[in-house]
Structure formats: structure tokens, C-alpha cells
Amino acid sequence: MLAQGVLIHCGHVFHLRLFAEPGMLGYPVESRFQLRVEHVHLDAALRHPAGDPSVRHLVVTTGKDNVLGYSSHTTTADMHDFHDRAFSALEGVREVQTALLIRTYKRAGHLVPR
């Protein structure tokens, strides 16, 4: 079941944005990743994971770890495959940290029902 639907009018086209738990759509495994990328390689390094359908959020941040992202997967094996294909060949990446998300309390500004 979808948590909430939002209708956005843009010109003469309507776009429907739905907020749903990834597990309800077949993606019960979620991870957060942080990258430390040399600034000269930042744009090029982000193009590869940004094109991966598993990535649902990817931003450049300030601080030592300058990239933050979230991804959704069908299984933990799929998550490990994603980490291999998304990060192993990136130039300028000095460190990758990943974390399996255990429980979400709030998503897209809304409390997640238990």
C-alpha cells in the first residue's frame, strides 16, 4: 500500500509522485553509503552511481566524506553486487563506507507506520 500520493502540475503535464516503502515494491534491503572522493574526480565519479537504478538519493556534501547516497535492493546479495559494480572502478575514491539500514522511522517527511 502506498503511503501518500502527491500531484504536481508542471505546464500542461501532470506528474504523479508516490511515496511508498521500498519493501512494498520488492526492495526490502536498503543501504546508506558515504564516499570520500578527490574533488578533481567528483563529477566524473558520481555519474556512474547516479545512473544505477538502485540509487534513490545521491548528493555532494561538505566534510571529509563528500558524497552521501541511499540505495534499495531486492536482497543482501544484490546490495553487495551493487557496491562492487558502483564503486570498484571509480577514479579518485579514497574511501567507501556502507551501512545496512535496519529500521526507518521517517521517510519523505512522514512518519513510517510500525
Side-chain angles (χ1 to χ4, degrees), residues 36-59:
R36 185 177 308 158
V37 182
E38 294 174 2
H39 287 280
V40 69
H41 296 288
L42 197 54
D43 188 59
L46 291 179
R47 291 188 187 279
H48 183 66
D52 194 297
S54 297
V55 175
R56 59 184 172 85
H57 189 80
L58 185 64
V59 297

Side-chain angles (χ1 to χ4, degrees), residues 1-111:
M1 175 171 271
L2 299 175
Q4 178 185 14
V6 177
L7 191 60
I8 302 169
H9 181 260
C10 185
H12 298 295
V13 178
F14 286 100
H15 298 275
L16 186 61
R17 173 182 267 176
L18 302 173
F19 299 103
E21 288 300 303
M24 298 176 89
L25 301 173
Y27 298 92
V29 178
E30 298 179 89
S31 70
R32 183 195 76 211
F33 54 90
Q34 293 175 267
L35 309 175
R36 185 177 308 158
V37 182
E38 294 174 2
H39 287 280
V40 69
H41 296 288
L42 197 54
D43 188 59
L46 291 179
R47 291 188 187 279
H48 183 66
D52 194 297
S54 297
V55 175
R56 59 184 172 85
H57 189 80
L58 185 64
V59 297
V60 174
T61 65
T62 60
K64 184 173 71 168
D65 299 322
N66 51 1
V67 176
L68 173 65
Y70 291 86
S71 58
S72 299
H73 312 278
T74 55
T75 64
T76 54
D78 179 41
M79 180 186 73
H80 290 294
D81 290 344
F82 161 74
H83 291 161
D84 287 342
R85 77 174 177 267
F87 307 133
S88 62
L90 298 181
E91 280 192 56
V93 174
R94 294 294 171 227
E95 186 175 340
V96 176
Q97 297 178 38
T98 61
L100 181 64
L101 302 185
I102 303 300
R103 185 175 184 308
T104 300
Y105 286 85
K106 193 171 188 178
R107 184 184 309 278
H110 300 279
L111 292 176

